[in-house]
Amino acid sequence: MAKGDRGAPARGTEVAGEPVPDFVQLLTPDGERIDKSVGADGVEYTVDFTDEEYRGLYRDLVVIRRLDTEATALQRQGELGIWASLLGQEAAQVGSGRALRPQDMAFPTYREHGVLYCRGIDPIMPLSLFRGVDLGAWDPAEFKVNMYTIVIGAQTLHATGYAMGITKDGKVGGDDGEAVLCYFGDGATSQGDVNEAFIWSSVFHAPIVFFCQNNQYAISEPIEKQTRIPLYRRADGFGFPGLRVDGNDVLATYAVTRAALDNARHGQGPTLIEAYTYRMGAHTTTDDPTRYRVASEVEEWQAKDPIARVRAFVEKQQIAGADFFAEVDEQAKQEALHLRERVLAMPDPHPLTLFDHVYPNGSPVVDAQRERFAEYLDSFEGSAH
Amino acid sequence: MAEKLTIGKALNAGLRRALEHDPKVLVMGEDVGKLGGVFRITDGLQKDFGEDRVIDTPLAESGIIGTAIGLAIRGYRPVCEIQFDGFVYPAYDQIVSQVAKMHFRSQGKVKVPMVIRIPFGGGIGAVEHHSESPEAYFAHTAGLKVVACSSPQDAYTMIQQAIASDDPIVFLEPKRRYHEKGEVDLDATYPLHASRRLRPGTDATVLAYGPMVRTALDAATAAEQDGRDLEVFDLRTLSPLDLEPVYESVRRTGRCVVVHEAPSNVGLGAEIAARITERCFYSLEAPVLRVTGFDTPYPAARLEEDYLPDLDRVLDAVDRTFGW
Ligand SMILES: Cc1ncc(C[n+]2csc(CCOP(=O)(O)OP(=O)(O)O)c2C)c(N)n1
Ligand SMILES: [Mg+2]
């Protein structure tokens, strides 16, 4: 190598290959409980759950996967326009979603159905968006989950601004302090908005946790198309801690997210969490992943399934037995059935509603168009149209 | 030589030919490589021309357009794909403040011969940001040219012309018509910035572009049954507009209806109506009417059929020009 030539960095070795560095893990894929795990931030992480809590996490994981499967089926049957499946990312979503305290606010992408579930949002609500009857159904203030954001990365700035508002309101510093949990994907890290959010949150010491689900793909593009270093290390350059967690480990994800949120609420500023996981399904129901990835890669990740390891653990520890698993499966089935029935019964919106809510104070232009369109529709009354 | 192709396949063939013809041509965007784009417009191009020329970029539209400017300054001819209309806005600053102004600011010394391909318009049942019609934002910007293809022939020919042009061009593709088939003459030559009369008629002139061309033609067919003979134009070039043939038509018919999916407020239709009024005032039997999307954000998919202009709304407007 010539003097001064730093050479090209190794391509993707640390990023996509094994072994994964600095990975907080508390539950192995085989269901072995690791007592403590040190993160890239030098902090030791662990969880101290009761048996009931372990069973609760298992229940969440199984139910959201079942609901997701139902949504995929509904799309295939033409009942949804499109569906963005969370398959494979259940632990990242339940671990982080359950780590939120009631006063915290979450800003999702379009794939955080599991987080919504943890926040008590009726699973029908994201489905109305994907069915095409509305553009977002739940009240963000009621559930403390903002609307889905489809424009990649845009919500990271909204989340940062919201967190700045928490500081301005004096709501940081105590146990009752508030924090923001901001979701985005690996692909999103390339957007200017996301990098600006990192800068803002750092400069204003905002109470925010950036939760990046690195599911290894942005549609067809593997993570190497976005970065030459592990994503969590980006935080360093912006001036706040970053760490990587096994995103298929619900315990570790919970532990790091809970700690980062508590740090934020106590006035210690932002953290970037990279939840290392895998998108087991297609990007959305319109995508065909066989065009860009090999089956063996999917199989490899299948062995790291986020649910199987919890089941193995609770079985081994005799925290739960056959009756419990059967009962959870039954609950998941019933919730899915209930969801299906309600999707099928969901009425189409009335045409004139498309003129609603354009402005808080209304607009004569919109009003005139609504009136004219109503007359136009009436002109077809009684005709075969 | 002629072939029957869909609009999507014709674009692919046109891009392929441009890549073959000029080694400086690059294709860049999100998922354009291995996947061949979410609409498969660039299918197979990376395999045949390599990763150096057909580039999967990081997920950042401002980055795509900004680096394309640099590549263009360096002598390349980038063809950038914006995945969906609603995702062009992160690049808006680079397009409007940089792409559009380089040549002017440098007194002609710097050219940025790039093409910004945008699948546009609705009708595919998508979630929000996937069905928009942003053409007016770009047509409003001096320094950019804006064109829209509506047929396989134009898809094939216009994409090559746009790439060969030294002007930066926003190239709009009617995504809901990607699968429509038609005859393509692989050696056809005609000007890029010219409107085209697709159907002669005597009673009223209907103007459309992109996805609404099919709608306008269908309306003309339906009008025939009511004994009305509509003349239909495909505008093809939105900036600059080519309206001379339209003026000639309107002077004959005395009636004109402009159709686009984009909202009406300060849209292309307003500019077109103003110019026709200026040039054909004494021939007009009725004001130029617009059939457009409403002045609301693009609605949820289950309402898009109500939002989008369709055959009935075009005929309704034609009727109204007769009732004036
Ligand atoms: C600004 C913008 N550009 C492009 C798209 C189209 N798009 C939708 S999802 C996606 C990939 C996102 O990847 P990632 O951030 O990793 O999230 P994931 O889907 O993997 O959860 C792209 C390019 C978009 N929604 N917004
Ligand atoms: Mg991803």
Side-chain angles (χ1 to χ4, degrees), chain A residues 132 191 220-221 291 348 369, chain B residues 31 43 57 61 295 302 312:
Chain A
Q191 283 286 11
S220 73
E221 295 195 11
R291 289 178 72 99
D348 279 353
Q369 289 184 2
Chain B
D31 306 287
D43 193 18
T57 67
E61 290 75 11
D295 289 307
R302 299 251 166 176
D312 286 322

Side-chain angles (χ1 to χ4, degrees), chain A residues 119-167:
Chain A
R119 288 305 256 179
I121 295 176
D122 184 337
I124 193 81
M125 286 185 171
L127 267 67
S128 62
L129 187 154
F130 288 97
R131 185 171 166 89
V133 303
D134 61 44
L135 303 175
W138 65 91
D139 177 359
E142 182 185 352
F143 296 100
K144 305 220 77 166
V145 178
N146 204 52
M147 297 170 66
Y148 273 177
T149 298
I150 288 172
V151 178
I152 298 296
Q155 78 280 4
T156 58
L157 284 166
H158 314 157
T160 300
Y162 188 96
M164 289 162 64
I166 292 174
T167 308

Side-chain angles (χ1 to χ4, degrees), chain B residues 164-225:
Chain B
S165 169
D166 280 348
D167 297 323
I169 295 182
V170 174
F171 190 93
L172 300 165
E173 302 171 2
K175 73 167 86 81
R176 74 156 121 164
R177 312 287 188 204
Y178 271 148
H179 298 291
E180 287 192 5
K181 265 194 170 166
E183 201 72 35
V184 177
D185 174 353
L186 301 181
D187 307 307
T189 53
Y190 46 80
L192 175 61
H193 294 290
S195 59
R196 183 183 293 137
R197 188 172 66 174
L198 292 183
R199 184 186 196 284
T202 52
D203 296 337
T205 306
V206 179
L207 311 177
Y209 55 86
M212 285 290 106
V213 171
R214 161 71 28 224
T215 307
L217 287 170
D218 290 348
T221 306
E224 222 170 65
Q225 286 154 18

